[in-house]
Amino acid sequence: MAAPLTPLVLLLALGRPGLSGAQATEGAAAAPHRRFEYKYSFKGPHLVQADGTVPFWVHTGNAIPSADQIRITTSLKSQKGSVWTKNKSIFEYWEVEVTFRVTGRGRIGADGLAIWFTEEQGLEGPVFGAADKWNGVGIFFDSFDNDGKKNNPGVIVVGNNGKLLYDHQNDGSTQALASCQRDFRNKPYPVRVKITYYQKTLTVLINNGFTPDKEDYEFCAKVEDMVLPSQGYFGISAATGGLADDHDVLSFLTFQLTEPGKEAPTADAEIPQKDKEKYQEEFEHFQQELDKKKEEFQREHPDVQGQPGKLFELFFTDDVFETESDRELRQIFEGQNRIHLEIKQLNRQLDMILDEQRKYVSTVTEEIAKRGAGFPGQHGQVSQQEIETVVKTQEEVIRQVKEMRSSITDALRSISGAQHPGSAGVYETTQHFNDIKEHLHIVKRDIEHLVQRNTPSSEKQKCPELPPFPSCLSTVHFFIFVAVQTVLFIGYVMYRSQQEAAAKKFF
Ligand SMILES: [Ca+2]
Ligand SMILES: [Ca+2]
C-alpha cells in the first residue's frame, strides 16, 4: 500500500509547493500533529449511557451526567463533584478543549471549577471538589474572591508535586504559576477553554462566551518549562459553598499532540496493525452502542428530531439543541456584534475624515504662512477685503432697492388713497350737507307747524262767546227731569237691595 502511494504524495507535494513547502521547511517549529482521543473525551448529545455512566469516564460526588452535559454541581450550597478519565493517558503532549457554563442568579457565585491533569484521580477533596496535594496541574476557574482582592472571577494555574496544600484563603495566589482575570459566569454562549501542553509549555486560551465563534480564543496564561507527569488522568471538578452556581460541562475533548518530526505522516501508519484492528473493533463496538442508545433515545423522545445517518454530525454539533432563550441571546449578541462592527467602521471613517481635515488645515495654514512671508502686501487678505466690500455694497444696493420698493408701494398706496378716499369724502360731505339741509328743513317745518298750531291756540285763548242758552228748557221741564232722575235712582237702590238679599239666601 505504501509503495504505490509515495509517488502520488510526491506528485501532490510538487503540485502544491506553497502548502507542502511551508509544511516541510517549518520542521520542528511547525504545529504539532493533533489527534482526537475519544477515550479521554466526552460530548453531547448522547453523553450518558442508560445506566447513568459516561463512557470512559467516572463521576463522583454530586455530578449528574445527562444527555448533553455533565452538571458537576447544581446551584445548591456545599456541593462537590468531579469527573475523571477511567484510564491514564500516556501522551507526552496534549491539548484539551473544554466547554462549560457557570451560571447562577447571584451577582457573585462560588466556588468554581477546575480542570486537572494529575498522576492520580482526585476523586474527592477540598480543592474545587477534588483532592488536595495533587501531582500535576490544576487550572482553576475561581468564582469567589476569598482574599477580597477583587480579582475574581479569575483563572489561575497551580502546579503541585504532590506535597503542596492549596492556599484556598488567598485564592491560590501565592502558588499561582500564571493567571488571568476573566469573568466566565453567566455568559450567553458556553465558555471555551483550550489548554495546550506542548514542548514543556502550558498555554491557556479562553473563548469567553461572548460570540458564537468557537475559534475566538484569547490568550490567558502561559507557563514555560513545566514538567508534568508523563502519565496522568484528565479530570474536571467543581464545588459550591455558601453561594452556589450551576457548573455544567458540555464537552471535554482531548487531543494527543505529537511533534511533527516524531510522527508518521498518517495516523494509519502510526498505529501498529494489531492495535489498529483492536481500535477498529472498539470503534465499531462503540458505534453500535451509540446507535443503540440513539434508537433508545428516539424511542423515549419521539418529539426530538434525529436522522440515523447524521449521528456523528449530531455528535459533533453544538447547536442541535438550542433552546429558545439561547437563540434569543445569540440573536441579541449577533446583533450587538454587527452594531459593534458598524461603529468600528464609522469610527475608522471618522478618523479618516479627521485626518483629511487635519491635512487640509495644515496645508491651508502653511499656504497662508507662505503668502504672509512672501507678500507683505497680504494679497490674500486684500482679495478677502475686496470680496467683503463687494458683498457689503451688494447688500447696501439690495437694502436701497428694498427701501425704494417700499417707498414706491407707499406712494402708490397714498395715490390710490388720495383718489378713492378723497371722492368718498366729497360725497360724504355732500351727503352730510344734504342731511343737514333735510334736518334743517324738517326742523323748519316743525317750527312752522308749531307756529301754525300756536297761532290758532292763541286765537282760541280768547274765551269763545257762549252759545245762546236754549230757550226750550223751562223751569217746569227742569223739575220734571229731576224728579224722574230721583225715581230712577230710588228704583235702582231698591232693586240692588233685593238682589243682595236674594244672594244672601244661598249662604
Ligand atoms: Ca476563591
Ligand atoms: Ca481573589
Side-chain angles (χ1 to χ4, degrees), residues 111 128 142-147 152 166 168-172:
D111 271 324
F128 300 100
D142 190 348
S143 304
F144 190 75
D145 193 9
N146 293 74
D147 59 359
N152 293 81
Y166 177 61
H168 211 296
Q169 290 313 306
N170 292 310
D171 295 322

Side-chain angles (χ1 to χ4, degrees), residues 202-229:
L202 186 97
T203 316
V204 181
L205 304 177
I206 293 180
N207 176 336
N208 215 14
F210 274 122
T211 67
D213 182 3
K214 291 172 187 171
E215 292 305 314
D216 188 15
Y217 284 105
E218 282 177 10
F219 176 79
C220 165
K222 191 178 193 175
V223 184
E224 283 175 337
D225 298 322
M226 188 166 202
V227 180
L228 290 178

Side-chain angles (χ1 to χ4, degrees), residues 421-472:
S423 60
V426 169
Y427 173 78
E428 266 171 25
T429 15
T430 324
Q431 182 78 16
H432 191 61
F433 277 123
N434 285 342
D435 282 353
I436 289 167
K437 223 165 139 184
E438 210 167 301
H439 278 291
L440 280 172
H441 189 70
I442 289 164
V443 169
K444 197 181 158 191
R445 209 167 44 207
D446 282 351
I447 289 165
E448 272 173 6
H449 188 69
L450 274 173
V451 168
Q452 271 173 6
R453 271 170 63 182
N454 282 348
T455 319
S457 74
S458 66
E459 276 172 8
K460 277 175 187 170
Q461 266 174 351
K462 294 171 191 171
C463 281
E465 281 176 18
L466 284 167
F469 196 79
S471 54
C472 57

Side-chain angles (χ1 to χ4, degrees), residues 283 286-287 290-291 308-317:
F283 173 73
F286 183 62
Q287 196 172 19
L290 269 176
D291 279 340
K310 297 203 170 178
L311 177 64
F312 279 89
E313 253 176 65
L314 281 172
F315 193 79
F316 290 106
T317 309

